[in-house]
């Protein structure tokens, strides 16, 4: 087990519970355990599968009733061209 690894599961999560090896039906938890910015009333379902021989845990998180978020417009994509526009910009026009 590695200490301080960024992939260590948060305390209170199913993935951090060493006494539970597998949870196939999932457990409902506060979404703020995994997603600190979520509202306190939000929940998620966490599933767990352990690989003890490799010291690995696979966790599936499903936010069943996540509230819609406003579109983040703080970033701007650069304009993109499709392949036709790239060929035309390079002087390769189609034969018609």
């Amino acid at each position: 087990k590695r200490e301080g690894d960024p992939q260590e599961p948060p305390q209170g999560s199913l993935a951090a519970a060493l006494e539970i090896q597998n949870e196939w039906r999932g457990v409902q938890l506060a979404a703020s355990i995994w997603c600190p910015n979520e509202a306190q009333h939000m929940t998620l379902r966490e599933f767990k599968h352990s690989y003890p021989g490799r010291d690995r845990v696979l966790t599936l998180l499903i936010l069943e009733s996540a509230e819609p978020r406003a579109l983040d417009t703080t970033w701007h994509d650069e304009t993109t061209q499709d392949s036709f526009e790239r060929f035309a910009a390079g002087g390769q026009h189609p034969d018609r």
Side-chain angles (χ1 to χ4, degrees):
K1 182 173 181 176
R2 296 175 289 188
E3 297 295 326
D5 191 355
Q7 283 78 33
E8 290 293 323
Q11 294 299 320
S13 68
L14 190 61
L18 299 176
E19 67 277 4
I20 300 172
Q21 289 293 311
N22 297 300
E23 178 55 59
W24 301 110
R25 294 180 185 200
V27 173
Q28 194 156 356
L29 300 170
S32 60
I33 292 174
W34 282 97
C35 310
N37 295 331
E38 286 296 331
Q40 288 299 103
H41 67 277
M42 293 300 302
T43 60
L44 59 76
R45 183 165 295 278
E46 181 179 356
F47 298 81
K48 178 180 180 180
H49 179 65
S50 298
Y51 298 92
R54 296 206 180 248
D55 193 27
R56 299 282 186 259
V57 173
L58 175 66
T59 301
L60 173 65
L61 305 173
I62 299 177
L63 280 94
E64 297 170 329
S65 61
E67 296 173 347
R69 302 235 173 152
L71 182 61
D72 181 9
T73 58
T74 58
W75 58 276
H76 298 284
D77 244 353
E78 59 187 53
T79 57
T80 58
Q81 297 177 328
D82 62 24
S83 57
F84 177 81
E85 292 169 328
R86 279 187 260 161
F87 280 114
Q92 296 179 349
H93 298 284
D95 293 330
R96 292 186 184 195

